[in-house]
């Protein structure tokens, strides 16, 4: 991170929902080990605070909120769609589809339109919002390492952005999923990888 | 229209909002002449009813609902963005941003995510929803001829769809805008043009 | 045009092929009246020279070169596809598919991948190349006013670019097509319109 | 694979270049272990023959051929771009940028426009060509497991296709990259995984 590029950088928070990050969330039994093990909520809080101090644009990239009738008559469902349907993940107007209470959006933050599958860019206005705010560099954190995070990062590169992954700012269903993202996939296409601490140690404006 | 293709066809209703189509709507002073002159609301009602009878999928392609903070810090605004901002068009949670009361969505209809500018496809999930429902042909009606309708039709062709325009199913700010769309732009790239009556005269399943 | 933005501006030349712009070209009988009437080749030459002087990036957005087997087994053809097929427009490896000899690309210019239909952005790498060169503003000239130019301009706005149209830098099959683009469509969504002379009168760096 | 869907299925061959697959190719020292270990060329030959017998559309998704001037003045390079630049990978008009001699395209096959990074869909006409040929299902094979194959598969799902991975039809720089793709990433978003043998054992039309 270079202070001269802050005005062209955005922190993208992918799916920081209660269903993923809070005790009682529908997928918390699956995510708990890595979320707690890596102190994900604390790290995301620090990232958000650090971004605000540095005037780095914050933008949420939220998954679709499941509602009745969704996926009806679709010609085929991916495992991600099937999983969301089965448990009514991020159920519309429910607590599970709210952002974690310590990770709420504030005035000036942006919220992209909801994505149906993995990439925060696919079939949403994320690229458009980034362009209208003159963003050239994105920093990714949130859930889930090998699915939404990996897909959003790949799209970011294909769309011409400089992409940084926060390696201890992502959770998953097990440690292997995080390891694979950090070691085997992202380094082959992404531009930079930082820890939360390294992100916070970049100079203030 | 060919009965054998109904299951692969969708009727796309672009921006059938009160602000465009109802007495008292913010842009009704501008649209009234063509909307009333062409009996647009009646024609759209007939199209919707005809589509339901023929089991043609209906999908709404709605413009962004203006909310406080929108367009803030954008690097430049197009005339469309400036106009929406100036009058707070389709204001979020307002009557103007509701669909015309005679043109409401029913169970089984789809509603794409909101578009920021002209094309119902750009930065939305419209293409994805059409694909998941196996749609190959789209029929366009709604507002406004030379902006959203023309842009949505152009994107439809570029995305590989067969595109039909309902020539008396579109309104505008003046007759010239409709004439231009029907005579000078659409015929050069679109696949078919029908009147509401011709659409309704296609055989029932 | 503002000198401070030159490094973020690109001049996009759409389809400056012999088949459109040169005596003997396959569509020259259709384009001759406006191309000669508006002095299009001379204006495009001036635009290219002016862009080079100002270090404005030049990028060509060329239509697909028709080859044997193209359009075979396509599920439906648009009028544009049908027309290209009928006359073997911009035939691969033919003179008609070369750029006009006075409008050739030079070292440092970019050439986007070929487009199949109207928009220079659709199904090509134009957006990606612009992003990788840090372009935020595009200036459009070339062929054909109400089809490729209008579609490329609409996509440009949807993709977040500032879009300028050179009003005497575009040709068509008749004057009405140019008039419609300049008066009835572009002003509703585009950001700026300049004549060739106005473009050239912007200050030098 | 279900015989009733053959006409809606395409086999996508990603980057079957000499530089990846042939002794003497620029990256063959890196790919040799998995390419030879998994009998990749033989498997791809069988897949191609099996697809032809079943009238499954074959489409190549080739990477950009590096030429002089590429990547010049780009605002940042991803590791993939840097690697291609460093070794002049798939050099334009060179043997390394030709398809492996046993995997050549035949009449009726399609070749998508070249991709710059990982996904065969990003900034190319692959989605458009698939739509024009009525394809709903894609079967992926080629190079390289955790980069182009994984990215193309992710885009395929986001674009609404049914995506099948041929698990012994992909190579990489080491076994871990294949394992990760087959075990940790693809199963979370892809629809089906088959071996070459399973693909060939599907009934003939």
């Amino acid at each position: 991170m270079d202070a001269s590029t802050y005005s062209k950088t955005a922190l993208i928070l992918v799916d920081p929902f209660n269903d993923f990050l809070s005790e009682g969330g529908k997928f918390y039994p699956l995510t708990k080990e890595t979320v707690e093990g890596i102190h994900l909520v604390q790290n995301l809080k620090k990232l958000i605070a650090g971004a605000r101090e540095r005037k780095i644009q914050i933008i949420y990239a939220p998954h679709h909120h499941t509602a009745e009738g969704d996926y009806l008559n679709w010609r085929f469902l991916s495992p991600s769609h099937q999983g969301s349907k089965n448990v009514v993940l991020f159920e519309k107007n429910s607590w599970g589809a709210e952002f974690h209470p310590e990770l709420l959006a504030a005035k000036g933050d942006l919220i992209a339109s909801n994505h149906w599958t993995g990439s925060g860019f696919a079939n949403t206005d994320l690229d458009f919002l980034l362009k209208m705010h003159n963003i050239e560099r994105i920093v990714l954190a949130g859930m889930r390492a090998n699915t939404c995070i990996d897909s959003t990062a790949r799209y970011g590169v294909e769309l011409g952005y400089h992409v940084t992954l926060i390696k201890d700012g992502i959770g998953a269903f097990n440690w292997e999923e995080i390891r694979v993202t950090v070691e085997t996939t992202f380094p082959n296409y992404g531009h930079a990888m930082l820890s939360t601490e390294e992100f916070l140690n970049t100079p203030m404006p």
Side-chain angles (χ1 to χ4, degrees), chain A residues 1-9 54 56 137 139 162 164 192 194 198-199 201-205:
Chain A
M1 298 295 298
D2 170 351
S4 75
T5 63
Y6 288 169
S7 69
K8 298 182 180 303
T9 302
R54 286 161 183 78
I56 289 173
R137 292 161 184 266
V139 178
H162 184 284
T164 296
L194 294 175
E198 289 166 334
F199 177 85
N201 284 341
T202 57
M204 293 287 293

Side-chain angles (χ1 to χ4, degrees), chain A residues 21-56:
Chain A
L21 298 180
S22 295
E23 193 75 52
K26 285 180 179 170
F27 270 5
Y28 200 65
L30 291 168
T31 62
K32 180 173 180 161
E33 183 177 344
T34 65
V35 165
E36 297 188 359
I38 214 164
H39 306 293
L40 182 56
V41 173
Q42 295 92 316
N43 288 350
L44 292 176
K45 275 181 66 176
K46 288 180 193 171
L47 290 168
I48 290 172
R52 293 202 203 289
E53 285 182 318
R54 286 161 183 78
K55 311 286 185 204
I56 289 173

Side-chain angles (χ1 to χ4, degrees), chain A residues 149-169:
Chain A
I149 296 292
D150 195 346
S151 288
T152 305
R154 288 174 190 261
Y155 269 72
V157 175
E158 301 281 5
L159 286 163
Y161 295 97
H162 184 284
V163 182
T164 296
L165 180 70
I166 303 295
K167 61 188 170 188
D168 59 355

Side-chain angles (χ1 to χ4, degrees), chain A residues 7-203:
Chain A
S7 69
K8 298 182 180 303
T9 302
L11 172 64
I12 300 186
L13 300 169
V14 183
D15 298 343
F17 293 119
N18 283 320
D19 268 350
F20 267 157
L21 298 180
S22 295
E23 193 75 52
K26 285 180 179 170
F27 270 5
Y28 200 65
L30 291 168
T31 62
K32 180 173 180 161
E33 183 177 344
T34 65
V35 165
E36 297 188 359
I38 214 164
H39 306 293
L40 182 56
V41 173
Q42 295 92 316
N43 288 350
L44 292 176
K45 275 181 66 176
K46 288 180 193 171
L47 290 168
I48 290 172
R52 293 202 203 289
E53 285 182 318
R54 286 161 183 78
K55 311 286 185 204
I56 289 173
Q57 176 72 53
I58 292 172
I59 178 162
Y60 290 74
H63 198 276
H64 178 76
H65 298 186
T66 307
E68 205 190 318
D70 284 347
Y71 307 110
L72 195 68
N73 300 325
W74 282 28
R75 60 185 185 186
F76 23 73
L77 300 185
S78 81
S80 145
H81 303 141
Q82 191 63 59
S84 297
K85 189 184 174 196
N86 286 351
V87 304
V88 196
L89 193 64
F90 316 134
E91 186 173 7
K92 202 174 174 182
N93 300 320
S94 81
W95 169 85
E98 292 174 11
F99 296 140
H100 184 286
E102 301 192 68
L103 306 172
L104 297 179
K107 194 173 168 170
D109 295 347
L110 300 171
I111 302 180
S113 59
N114 302 72
H115 53 269
W116 278 102
T117 313
S119 169
F121 286 102
N123 310 306
T124 76
D125 59 359
L126 180 54
D127 176 52
F128 180 72
L129 290 176
L130 293 174
K131 278 212 194 104
M132 296 323 286
H133 287 82
N134 253 333
I135 303 299
E136 297 173 10
R137 292 161 184 266
I138 58 176
V139 178
L140 290 178
M143 294 291 294
R144 167 184 170 216
N146 57 327
T147 58
C148 290
I149 296 292
D150 195 346
S151 288
T152 305
R154 288 174 190 261
Y155 269 72
V157 175
E158 301 281 5
L159 286 163
Y161 295 97
H162 184 284
V163 182
T164 296
L165 180 70
I166 303 295
K167 61 188 170 188
D168 59 355
I170 55 175
F173 290 177
N174 57 60
W175 293 109
E176 170 71 354
E177 293 179 350
I178 294 180
R179 193 189 65 72
V180 155
T181 305
V182 168
E183 294 181 12
T184 317
T185 63
F186 186 83
N188 284 290
Y189 63 80
H191 298 84
M193 195 143 51
L194 294 175
S195 67
T196 299
E197 213 49 47
E198 289 166 334
F199 177 85
L200 295 174
N201 284 341
T202 57

